[in-house]
Amino acid sequence: MPLNLATVKISRLIDTTSGGFSLEDLKSVIITPFFRKLDGGFSFCFLLEGFFIEIFTPGLGYRQCGQKGILNPKKSVLLVPYLSIFDVFELVQLMISGYGKHAEGNSNIKANYSLNQTKKAALFRWLDLH
């Protein structure tokens, strides 16, 4: 498919906060795909095995197609950049909403995972900055 019709960008999610989410934690996150309205187009976003995948339509411009993480059939190597989970606004909103429901006792999901103080602090620190 020509890059001007659709462009795919792949990033590896990370959490750089001390004691934050491990790569294994992030690999287990499952969310519903979502889209973003951009100037002149859309991007469709997916989370898969700890990778953030974004499909732009129409595709990105020529200069942007040289960035790390862009699937390009003319290149034999793909360099996947890291992306902080706190740089994906929609993921942070989901974490805030989910934590709020959990804290209020409105979650029926039983998990063997607990949000430790460091992870809570990182989430609230992000809220203070934004």
Side-chain angles (χ1 to χ4, degrees):
M1 179 181 318
L3 290 175
N4 64 337
L5 291 180
T7 305
V8 178
K9 182 173 184 178
I10 301 173
S11 303
R12 180 71 165 112
L13 288 177
I14 59 167
D15 182 357
T16 57
T17 57
S18 176
F21 298 102
S22 70
L23 292 178
E24 205 56 37
D25 291 337
L26 295 172
K27 197 174 174 184
S28 67
V29 174
I30 299 171
I31 65 165
T32 303
F34 60 91
F35 75 95
R36 296 172 172 166
K37 175 119 174 65
L38 308 171
D39 291 335
F42 295 91
S43 73
F44 299 92
C45 305
F46 305 84
L47 215 61
L48 183 64
E49 292 289 317
F51 289 91
F52 182 70
I53 302 165
E54 195 166 10
I55 302 172
F56 298 90
T57 182
L60 299 175
Y62 179 75
R63 287 187 181 178
Q64 293 170 305
C65 286
Q67 295 175 355
K68 290 180 182 176
I70 300 291
L71 285 180
N72 188 335
K74 296 179 182 176
K75 295 188 177 183
S76 59
V77 175
L78 175 66
L79 297 175
V80 178
Y82 287 110
L83 176 65
S84 169
I85 57 170
F86 295 106
D87 289 338
V88 182
F89 178 76
E90 295 86 352
L91 289 178
V92 175
Q93 292 298 94
L94 284 169
M95 288 190 292
I96 293 167
S97 174
Y99 179 72
K101 289 176 183 178
H102 173 75
E104 294 169 359
N106 294 328
S107 174
N108 293 330
I109 297 173
K110 303 293 182 207
N112 59 357
Y113 180 82
S114 65
L115 198 59
N116 67 30
Q117 290 304 107
T118 306
K119 292 173 185 165
K120 287 179 194 175
L123 188 56
F124 291 119
R125 215 174 18 256
W126 184 92
L127 286 172
D128 289 339
L129 294 174
H130 296 83

